[in-house]
Amino acid sequence: MYSNKVLDHGTPARSAPTTVSLQIDGATVTVPAGTSLMRAAVEAGVKVPKLCATDSLEAFGSCRLCVVEVEGRKGFPASCTTPCENGMKVKTQTPKVAALRRNVMELYISDHPLDCLTCPANGNCELQDMAGVVGLREVRYGYQGDNHLQAPKDTSNPYFTFDPSKCIVCSRCVRACEEVQGTFALTVQGRGFESKIASGPTDFLNSECVSCGACVQACPTATLMEKSIAEQGQPDHAVVTTCAYCGVGCAFRAEMKGNEVVRMVPHKDGKANHGHSCVKGRFAWGYATHPDRVKKPMIRARITDPWREVTWDEAFAHAASEIKRIQAKYGRTSVGGITSSRCSNEETFLVQKLVRAGFGNNNVDTCARVCHSPTGYGLKQTLGESAGTQDFDSVDETDCVIVIGANPTDGHPVFASRMKRRLRGTATEPGAGLIVIDPRRIDLVRTPHVEAGFHLQLKPGTNVAVLNALAHVVVTEGLAREDYVRERCDLAEYEKWKAFVSLPKNSPEALEAATGVPAAQIRGAARLFAAAPNGAIYYGLGVTEHSQGSTTVMAIANLAMVTGNIGRPGVGVNPLRGQNNVQGSCDMGSFPHELPGYRHVGDAATRELFQKAWGRPIDDEPGLRIPNMFDAAVDGSFKALYVQGEDIAQSDPDTAHVQHALESLECLIVQDIFLNETAKYAHVFFPGSSFLEKDGTFTNAERRISPVRKVMPPLAGLADWEVTVAFAKALGYSMHYDHPAQIMDEIARLTPTFTGVSYAKLDRLGSIQWPCNADAPEGTPYMHAKQFVRGKGRFFLTEYVETPERTTRQFPLLLTTGRILSQYNVGAQTRRTHNTVWHDADVLEIHAHDAEQRGIRDGDLVSLQSRKGATTLRAVVTERMQPGVVYTTFHHPESGVNVVTTENSDWATNCPEYKVTAVQVVPHAKKSEWQEQFGRFSDTQVGLVPKTAVRGESR
Amino acid sequence: MDGPKLVRMANQIATFFATEPVRALAVEGVAGHLKRFWEPRMRRELLAMHAAGPVPGLHELVAEALRTQRAQLEPAARG
Ligand code: SF4
Ligand code: SF4
Ligand code: SF4
Ligand code: FES
């Protein structure tokens, strides 16, 4: 029978350089110094009974079930807390320890309900197992005395229950919440028999709990239990796959019952997450089978027409004939495609191949345009490769962290837990220093046992000024690592840069007025960072989504180089990627100017390589980027668009302009699992497949390529890659693959950084960090080891330029936008899960001072207005904001936040400036005009979809 | 394409390269960026605007790039 029990070593692995040898039940075993007897025993093939120990947590030694005998020693030490010593002779099974264990078990069981047969954990309960292992046959103490059997169950969390009557107070949950997650939401209250587990003074839902699931996973009993297991029963098999939400790219075991997912459990061997998860990947997968899924292809002539359900073949033929008609009428470059970071590498690769070879132009882009395109540009220019330099594990070796424009505890929760662990330090090693550069007081600034040394609370839009000021201090106070720079960087450019940042105008004092950050704080932060043996910079969209996004990325690279912080573990420039496959979609050539592997279309040799492989000419001119496509559509020179997995109508800024552009198209083809906002403007709809319904790979923020595995058949019959292949064929361009593995083989053949990648190797290694080729057959955890990819690292002059978006009398506040933990991007997935209990609408965060001035109270409806448009949201009055700055998210289409954002964009990449918009906020209890219109339009559009297409019944 | 928007975008590029002390490098930087990242119809339109007479508000580095690097920036005529 299938067992979902993964081998548990009882205590964490140790990595000491020295080893010790000992005997366990007569067998000799050698382990790293510091390893527990319990873990050594497992290595020797002996499982010592245990309850309070598990290998994700430090041993605690409370249950006393794991006692053993050690020759020549008195008493019965707990094997989980006793470290191995050379020459020890350990016996794990003797009559005495057996008796002791039975006694322990008897006490536990006497206060435990004996409803095993109907318990949801039946068959997967460690208490039950241990009762069997220790041979418990009778319980002498009855239930007459005091017990906890009537304790009420807490079902407040939408995904798991807490049933204290089954709790054995082993504290695994408490320790998991502290050590693994770093939230400290649980405590043991009381002592002895009175002791119990509590989520603070309230229930789970209202506590500090972030629903990461670590406690549920650690719990050896049914006390903390997934509701899905209680409802659906224990799984019958499991498949290892990768989370389809954020750029951390956690590995999961999809636990299945036939074709049904019953639970997603973070995979212990997952190299990005090491067995941890967040609420999205762990619990919010129900959207995949949500009744809103569109399961039939549909077409229509005009967007005011009802959709007509058609066969796949009809849909392909229709879409292809439209593309051909439009190209014949308006020219080869009047059509294009957009792919998404939510798609797999293989899917993205095919979309750009379809556009370049099938459409015959380079009008292909991906949603990284609106998030991390400046990362690609900035890091390529300075370091030579468009990717982050480190793996996540690197943070364990860092001494000082800068977090700029990122909110890891919400956006990259599993990595944030990892980072917080390093920031807290251990009993023997102090935590790393922390500098947060953010207009908001993000949670990381102060969380349990973590406090930022500096929070540079800058005004939105002044990142470059702050980074220049930090560099100014490093250079002018003689803190630069000139030895490193001399060895690795272009010296002439360095000297030029040094002269530039040393200018008085770049001093913290001179920039104080612009940035709003006291000069002394900048000086302190620069000294702290420069003094750290290993300093690492982590950044997010608060860096890129600005008119100076690319300049900021370059300034970050400059700062890392001048402090000698690239090219070894513990350091680096680390872009935290928003969505699951941002890195991958960029790697796969989905930018209009670059073929896979970041090679410019103007490069004849690269073009030649692809032309040979694909049998079609490749245009040598760059294509349109997403915002350019919109402009060209409004202009009338761009008429058809194929959009796979992306919701531009909701996620892109300046909604009115985007809507106008979409309405101007003669043929919009949307491929998605839901009728998303963009699909409401479409003429052809290809139903997509969720990450559970196809094979492929995602590449996370650390360049780690991880397998995505099919666990159920595609609900609409075809996987997304099959759709692109069939669409291309209908267009007269044939590409043939039997399996996505062959697409990866083609990528490997054509891309120097991928030559060593194959599905077979991924199966063997679990995941691979590119570059993976002859030089690095098993991949590359950190880059630029001996020298920079571009040869010499290049410093760029990064003049601070104020954003054109200025506050005025009419619009005196600055709006900045972001994300929250429980929702994901446009929310199409997470809004269709119970995650809405934490966030059922976007809200506007506003400082108490600004609120009071405007007569706004917490919870009031307010109108948020910019020169572009207005929308109505609920206000949350908070001290997290600085006066003059307001904040919101765009997880819900009806909140229309992008109605307010502007057309401003990064100078180099056109990445939109989501982070700075001049606005006014006024009390206003009515929906905005846009919202009214949107509501009507949206309802009409949903009404145009035949019911059978959504339910997926055959006609 | 939206002419004034193209001008704004080109000016932003020029502002970045303007810090470069060697003027020829700055002009080359602007021209190279337009060539590598701007789709032909965008370049064509900017060139046409510039050819038709002085463009109000156009950054001088862009103007110089359009003037001196025309050959590089002019997209090849193709279908
Ligand atoms: S809830 Fe589970 S993990 Fe926590 S103390 Fe009780 S039995 Fe142990
Ligand atoms: S779900 Fe996570 S955050 Fe919540 S109590 Fe458990 S470990 Fe802590
Ligand atoms: S959303 Fe991100 S952090 Fe959460 S489980 Fe998925 S990959 Fe991991
Ligand atoms: S497992 Fe060792 S004391 Fe509980």
Side-chain angles (χ1 to χ4, degrees):
Chain A
M1 207 191 122
Y2 163 75
S3 165
N4 55 6
K5 288 169 197 154
V6 179
L7 182 65
D8 184 347
H9 288 79
T11 64
R14 291 286 179 253
S15 58
T18 52
T19 58
V20 293
S21 291
L22 67 163
Q23 270 186 17
I24 293 177
D25 293 345
T28 303
V29 50
T30 303
V31 292
T35 302
S36 70
L37 293 180
M38 178 179 279
R39 191 173 177 103
V42 173
E43 305 263 312
V46 178
K47 284 191 202 159
V48 183
K50 64 179 188 54
L51 276 172
C52 69
T54 185
D55 58 10
S56 59
L57 305 170
E58 291 301 330
F60 191 58
S62 67
C63 74
R64 304 275 312 152
L65 196 65
C66 68
V67 288
V68 292
E69 282 188 62
V70 180
E71 203 178 286
R73 293 202 188 182
K74 277 210 289 242
F76 302 92
S79 63
C80 63
T81 49
T82 308
C84 295
E85 285 169 32
N86 263 324
M88 270 182 165
K89 292 200 172 93
V90 181
K91 288 203 187 100
T92 70
Q93 272 299 345
T94 67
K96 278 183 187 151
V97 298
L100 277 171
R101 288 176 190 157
R102 266 198 297 273
N103 277 339
V104 170
M105 274 316 287
E106 202 177 351
L107 276 168
Y108 277 121
I109 297 296
S110 68
D111 189 15
H112 195 85
L114 294 177
D115 59 357
C116 287
L117 286 181
T118 52
C119 176
N122 190 12
N124 193 19
C125 168
E126 291 183 40
L127 187 67
Q128 195 180 45
D129 292 352
M130 288 307 126
V133 167
V134 304
L136 186 69
R137 293 292 171 266
E138 56 167 346
V139 176
R140 284 163 294 173
Y141 323 101
Y143 287 154
Q144 300 82 6
D146 275 352
N147 59 47
H148 301 93
L149 300 179
Q150 301 309 321
K153 207 162 160 174
D154 176 353
T155 57
S156 61
N157 184 291
Y159 297 115
F160 60 83
T161 52
F162 173 61
D163 180 357
S165 71
K166 295 191 168 164
C167 179
I168 57 171
V169 203
C170 65
S171 84
R172 274 161 66 162
C173 54
V174 178
R175 287 176 286 139
C177 193
E178 292 174 2
E179 291 175 33
V180 179
Q181 166 57 25
T183 291
F184 295 75
L186 303 177
T187 50
V188 184
Q189 291 183 346
R191 311 184 67 149
F193 177 79
E194 295 300 320
S195 61
K196 58 174 191 168
I197 302 300
S199 49
T202 168
D203 60 10
F204 266 81
L205 186 65
N206 292 295
S207 70
E208 294 295 312
C209 168
V210 294
S211 202
C212 71
C215 57
V216 182
Q217 204 180 337
C219 181
T221 67
T223 312
L224 284 161
M225 189 64 166
E226 294 90 349
K227 288 182 179 172
S228 63
I229 292 286
E231 282 156 17
Q232 291 161 278
Q234 293 284 336
D236 55 40
H237 69 285
V239 179
V240 174
T241 189
T242 304
C243 178
Y245 281 118
C246 87
V248 178
C250 296
F252 277 87
R253 284 155 37 90
E255 295 193 339
M256 309 292 300
K257 212 172 178 166
N259 281 342
E260 217 179 301
V261 180
V262 295
R263 171 163 62 185
M264 294 288 275
V265 188
H267 185 39
K268 232 160 65 169
D269 297 333
K271 292 183 186 127
N273 56 323
H274 302 287
H276 191 33
S277 62
C278 84
V279 59
K280 293 191 284 291
R282 175 79 151 93
F283 295 118
W285 36 266
Y287 73 88
T289 48
H290 193 278
D292 286 354
R293 282 281 302 267
V294 184
K295 303 182 196 72
K296 295 284 172 185
M298 307 184 294
I299 62 174
R300 60 181 174 180
R302 283 178 305 267
I303 67 166
T304 45
D305 292 348
W307 283 101
R308 193 159 65 81
E309 192 186 310
V310 294
T311 64
W312 276 111
D313 284 342
E314 262 177 282
F316 293 134
H318 177 73
S321 74
E322 278 294 278
I323 295 286
K324 283 192 209 154
R325 176 186 69 77
I326 289 169
Q327 284 193 306
K329 186 165 171 197
Y330 300 100
R332 177 177 54 88
T333 58
S334 61
V335 304
I338 294 177
T339 164
S340 169
S341 304
R342 296 200 270 281
C343 301
S344 69
N345 287 317
E346 293 74 6
E347 289 156 7
T348 304
F349 180 84
L350 290 192
V351 170
Q352 62 90 33
K353 179 173 175 179
L354 167 79
V355 171
R356 298 191 203 280
F359 292 179
N361 64 45
N362 288 320
N363 292 334
V364 61
D365 208 353
T366 174
C367 61
R369 174 65 50 213
V370 300
C371 76
H372 264 290
S373 50
T375 291
Y377 178 80
L379 296 185
K380 179 110 186 166
Q381 295 287 317
T382 48
L383 312 179
E385 190 58 275
S386 302
T389 61
Q390 309 298 117
D391 58 359
F392 290 143
D393 289 356
S394 164
V395 79
D396 291 347
E397 292 175 55
T398 197
D399 303 297
C400 183
V401 175
I402 291 182
V403 176
I404 170 168
N407 183 6
T409 52
D410 280 55
H412 305 86
V414 164
F415 175 67
S417 291
R418 194 68 191 280
M419 182 189 270
K420 284 195 289 186
R421 192 193 275 214
R422 175 66 198 108
L423 294 170
R424 289 195 301 271
T426 61
T428 49
E429 206 184 344
L434 172 64
I435 299 162
V436 173
I437 308 178
D438 203 291
R440 282 199 316 152
R441 196 181 68 223
I442 57 170
D443 286 347
L444 202 56
V445 172
R446 191 169 208 174
T447 74
H449 307 279
V450 172
E451 184 158 11
F454 293 92
H455 174 206
L456 312 181
Q457 197 167 14
L458 76 182
K459 289 186 193 154
T462 62
N463 285 330
V464 173
V466 167
L467 288 161
N468 284 348
L470 288 168
H472 176 92
V473 177
V474 170
V475 167
T476 56
E477 294 192 3
L479 307 173
R481 283 282 309 276
E482 296 220 336
D483 49 337
Y484 176 96
V485 172
R486 256 195 307 279
E487 188 189 320
R488 283 173 159 255
C489 302
D490 181 324
L491 268 187
E493 297 293 341
Y494 173 66
E495 291 299 338
K496 224 191 234 179
W497 175 80
K498 188 176 167 185
F500 162 76
V501 288
S502 303
L503 294 173
K505 69 171 179 184
N506 286 322
S507 71
E509 290 73 19
L511 288 165
E512 195 174 296
T515 62
V517 184
Q521 280 190 23
I522 298 232
R523 290 202 176 265
R527 289 170 195 147
L528 180 68
F529 188 69
N534 284 338
I537 307 177
Y538 292 85
Y539 73 88
L541 304 181
V543 156
T544 53
E545 290 176 345
H546 283 283
S547 57
Q548 279 204 292
S550 292
T551 315
T552 315
V553 173
M554 292 180 190
I556 287 172
N558 289 343
L559 185 62
M561 287 190 285
V562 75
T563 51
N565 278 318
I566 297 178
R568 59 182 186 280
V571 299
V573 176
N574 303 276
L576 293 170
R577 308 296 190 136
Q579 305 198 59
N580 51 335
N581 202 32
V582 177
Q583 182 68 53
S585 71
C586 300
D587 301 340
M588 292 301 107
S590 56
F591 283 147
H593 65 289
E594 277 169 344
L595 285 155
Y598 303 100
R599 287 164 294 170
H600 199 272
V601 293
D603 177 47
T606 305
R607 258 197 339 273
E608 180 56 30
L609 180 74
F610 282 87
Q611 285 171 170
K612 262 216 193 104
W614 294 349
R616 290 282 176 102
I618 309 267
D619 195 339
D620 62 353
E621 287 281 13
L624 295 166
R625 300 168 289 194
I626 293 172
N628 311 146
M629 289 181 190
F630 296 150
D631 292 344
V634 169
D635 182 47
S637 63
F638 189 73
K639 290 290 185 185
L641 181 60
Y642 169 42
V643 185
Q644 186 179 86
E646 185 54 15
D647 197 1
I648 44 185
Q650 189 185 338
S651 58
D652 287 36
D654 192 0
T655 306
H657 181 62
V658 176
Q659 287 173 344
H660 185 190
L662 295 179
E663 283 163 358
S664 308
L665 296 173
E666 290 188 12
C667 179
L668 175 60
I669 305 162
V670 169
Q671 181 171 336
D672 204 282
I673 60 175
F674 297 114
L675 189 85
N676 63 16
E677 299 314 311
T678 310
K680 293 172 183 166
Y681 296 88
H683 307 88
V684 179
F685 187 89
F686 295 153
S689 44
S690 81
F691 78 114
L692 297 169
E693 298 157 32
K694 59 201 179 187
D695 290 303
T697 55
F698 292 151
T699 306
N700 76 353
E702 30 159 29
R703 292 170 278 105
R704 183 182 303 286
I705 309 161
S706 299
V708 178
R709 295 193 175 94
K710 179 170 165 177
V711 298
M712 57 174 77
L715 297 192
L718 293 181
D720 289 299
W721 63 272
E722 296 174 297
V723 173
T724 308
V725 168
F727 178 30
K729 189 163 167 221
L731 269 167
Y733 180 67
S734 120
M735 14 183 176
H736 182 81
Y737 308 97
D738 296 317
H739 189 275
Q742 296 167 347
I743 309 176
M744 181 53 85
D745 293 342
E746 180 173 326
I747 296 165
R749 276 197 303 277
L750 293 169
T751 316
T753 43
F754 275 69
T755 48
V757 181
S758 68
Y759 276 34
K761 198 186 270 184
L762 283 166
D763 286 343
R764 183 161 58 80
L765 299 178
S767 61
I768 301 172
Q769 287 179 275
W770 68 262
C772 173
N773 46 30
D775 297 335
E778 308 232 313
T780 311
Y782 61 94
M783 298 189 73
H784 315 289
K786 298 227 164 52
Q787 61 164 13
F788 288 104
V789 171
R790 80 181 289 286
K792 294 284 184 191
R794 178 166 173 194
F795 285 83
F796 272 80
L797 305 188
T798 53
E799 178 92 49
Y800 163 62
V801 180
E802 218 181 316
T803 160
E805 189 69 15
R806 309 268 158 85
T807 54
T808 58
R809 288 240 322 256
Q810 198 186 355
F811 302 114
L813 301 172
L814 287 181
L815 166 73
T816 182
T817 62
R819 319 275 187 279
I820 61 149
L821 171 69
S822 58
Q823 298 287 351
Y824 177 71
N825 200 273
V826 292
Q829 294 141 291
T830 42
R831 275 186 280 115
R832 291 181 172 94
T833 68
H834 294 303
N835 278 23
T836 45
V837 305
W838 289 284
H839 185 87
D840 59 357
D842 295 311
V843 296
L844 186 80
E845 292 187 18
I846 182 167
H847 188 270
H849 173 78
D850 296 326
E852 199 190 311
Q853 262 190 346
R854 291 166 174 76
I856 295 168
R857 283 157 315 180
D858 194 59
D860 281 356
L861 281 172
V862 295
S863 170
L864 172 71
Q865 311 164 342
S866 75
R867 63 187 162 88
K868 282 288 167 185
T871 190
T872 301
L873 317 156
R874 223 166 262 291
V876 169
V877 177
T878 163
E879 302 283 334
R880 272 154 72 103
M881 302 309 301
Q882 50 177 298
V885 182
V886 294
Y887 168 88
T888 189
T889 48
F890 60 88
H891 301 303
H892 294 264
E894 62 276 9
S895 36
V897 172
N898 282 321
V899 172
V900 174
T901 52
T902 71
E903 76 289 358
N904 290 346
S905 69
D906 172 46
W907 67 270
T909 64
N910 272 171
C911 178
E913 186 163 54
Y914 289 103
K915 301 291 181 181
V916 194
T917 307
V919 293
Q920 178 58 295
V921 179
V922 293
H924 184 76
K926 271 196 2 227
K927 286 183 177 173
S928 75
E929 202 180 312
W930 179 87
Q931 282 166 313
E932 295 284 356
Q933 263 173 24
F934 168 84
R936 283 192 299 271
F937 174 73
S938 193
D939 290 347
T940 311
Q941 285 297 328
V942 172
L944 296 176
V945 179
K947 292 282 164 290
T948 49
V950 181
R951 285 207 305 273
E953 291 158 7
S954 56
R955 288 187 293 157
Chain B
M1 305 291 282
D2 179 345
K5 192 165 175 179
L6 292 177
V7 170
R8 276 204 305 278
M9 280 161 50
N11 286 353
Q12 271 185 295
I13 296 168
T15 310
F16 176 79
F17 289 101
T19 327
E20 168 59 52
V22 184
R23 181 153 178 114
L25 290 179
V27 173
E28 225 178 272
V30 174
H33 194 90
L34 292 174
K35 165 85 180 159
R36 289 176 70 80
F37 296 98
W38 279 34
E39 200 258 358
R41 82 192 77 175
M42 299 164 66
R43 294 195 328 251
R44 222 175 264 134
E45 178 139 349
L46 191 64
L47 282 165
M49 286 168 69
H50 183 247
V55 180
L58 190 68
H59 196 290
E60 47 157 359
L61 277 178
V62 183
E64 187 169 337
L66 296 177
R67 197 166 55 242
T68 60
Q69 317 273 321
R70 189 167 187 110
Q72 177 189 171
L73 291 172
E74 191 89 66
R78 281 205 293 145

